Amino acid sequence: MAEFFIDLLSKTEEMTPELKNVVKKTFCGTLSNNVVSLDCGHVSTTTEEFYTVRCQVAEMRSLYQGLEEVCVKDMLEGNNMYTCSQCSAKVRAEKRACFKSLPDILAFNTMRYSFKMVTMMKEKVNTHFSFPFRLDMTPHMEQTLIPNKGKETENLEGSLEYELIGVTVDTGTADGGHYYAFIRDRTSVKDKWYSFNDAEVKTFDPSQIASECFGGEMSSRTYDQVTEKFLDLSIERIISAYMLFYERVPTTLNKDSDGAVDDITIMSAKLATSFFLETFIHAKEKLNIVQWVEVLTKQLDSSVP
């Protein structure tokens, strides 16, 4: 799923320069890797772009712990002291990754698969891993974790608060399974959630996110014919979230941003129309095109500010 997502964004970026800009603004963030010299105060920084944030699940209990692991602090001291790039001296240092800038849509890839050296096989990690409906990224930002870089850090655009808008779910094992998704409809007044499972689309109760997506164990009862008693068992859930999608909580738009919003709306309409026509042309079963156009038009009308 994660590989497909990255490939989809890459192919979209290649379509036009305008689409590349839209994709980067929407999905691309920047991670900074910092080495802070404790003896001379110098900070060495390298940056890298990301489209998904990889979060470990094994030995983690929540997305919060996964983010802490991404931004964990490593001490460089003793025999492992850092050679400062500014003064060329061996110094004690702290090494830490943190987020420098964030996209409008923040995607997480939960690492639900691990390779076992004992069995030499890939296994699915079914342990409990929770995530919130609302996420504050402030504790994981560069200006928070590297205070002495405050003046150098670029001004951040937009809020650091995010809301959950989609979850892709995997059911099965490391050898095979099935993907489906829970997606929040942000265009509806009632803010409904839907389950998208192949051809079946139906409303979904978001209060069931924990039982449907967190993994972990569940209780079960079975009848033992030998003892003629019911036994309580705990079995691992094979259903768990694989990718999480969060959308930036919007701030009040100013007049200068109206043009950017219009440009994004136009580009979204062009992309949706192009996708519709390509899909219709290559579809084996030609459904009623009038119904397709009505659905597309309804969605475009509802997305106009």
Side-chain angles (χ1 to χ4, degrees), residues 156-182:
L156 295 172
E157 296 182 2
S159 167
L160 296 178
E161 294 278 343
Y162 285 80
E163 289 183 335
L164 184 70
I165 59 169
V167 184
T168 60
V169 182
D170 173 64
T171 175
T173 66
D175 297 322
H178 176 61
Y179 285 115
Y180 53 96
F182 300 126

Side-chain angles (χ1 to χ4, degrees), residues 64-244:
Y64 294 114
Q65 289 187 351
L67 281 168
E68 290 175 1
E69 178 67 17
V70 172
C71 301
V72 69
K73 180 194 298 184
D74 290 328
M75 291 297 299
L76 304 178
E77 53 188 356
N79 295 329
N80 194 33
M81 292 180 72
Y82 171 67
T83 302
C84 179
S85 58
Q86 179 171 273
C87 62
S88 300
K90 288 282 187 179
V91 297
R92 295 174 302 113
E94 294 177 352
K95 184 179 180 181
R96 164 168 268 166
C98 44
F99 295 93
K100 187 178 184 69
S101 65
L102 296 174
D104 291 336
I105 303 293
L106 186 58
F108 292 93
N109 174 18
T110 61
M111 307 304 291
R112 279 283 180 185
Y113 297 97
S114 64
F115 186 80
K116 297 293 184 181
M117 296 300 295
V118 177
T119 60
M120 298 298 291
M121 296 177 64
K122 184 172 70 172
E123 296 183 3
K124 185 178 178 182
V125 181
N126 291 315
T127 54
H128 179 88
F129 187 82
S130 65
F131 48 89
F133 278 94
R134 195 176 183 95
L135 177 67
D136 182 7
M137 289 295 293
T138 304
H140 314 290
M141 302 302 296
E142 184 181 68
Q143 73 270 26
T144 303
L145 297 175
I146 315 292
N148 56 340
K149 286 196 66 179
K151 294 182 179 180
E152 302 175 20
T153 303
E154 61 188 57
N155 293 327
L156 295 172
E157 296 182 2
S159 167
L160 296 178
E161 294 278 343
Y162 285 80
E163 289 183 335
L164 184 70
I165 59 169
V167 184
T168 60
V169 182
D170 173 64
T171 175
T173 66
D175 297 322
H178 176 61
Y179 285 115
Y180 53 96
F182 300 126
I183 303 175
R184 197 182 87 185
D185 179 7
R186 286 104 73 211
T187 65
S188 72
V189 177
K190 296 183 179 180
D191 200 24
K192 291 182 178 179
W193 281 74
Y194 292 90
S195 168
F196 291 80
N197 194 338
D198 289 343
E200 183 182 53
V201 179
K202 59 183 180 181
T203 57
F204 172 72
D205 182 359
S207 66
Q208 300 301 310
I209 284 283
S211 60
E212 293 285 341
C213 304
F214 287 2
E217 296 182 344
M218 64 179 182
S219 299
S220 177
R221 300 197 76 190
T222 184
Y223 183 75
D224 186 355
Q225 294 182 346
V226 177
T227 61
E228 296 183 347
K229 294 181 179 179
F230 283 96
L231 302 178
D232 292 325
L233 301 176
S234 292
I235 57 176
E236 285 189 337
R237 298 178 187 269
I238 61 171
I239 303 175
S240 53
Y242 186 52
M243 289 192 71
L244 312 174

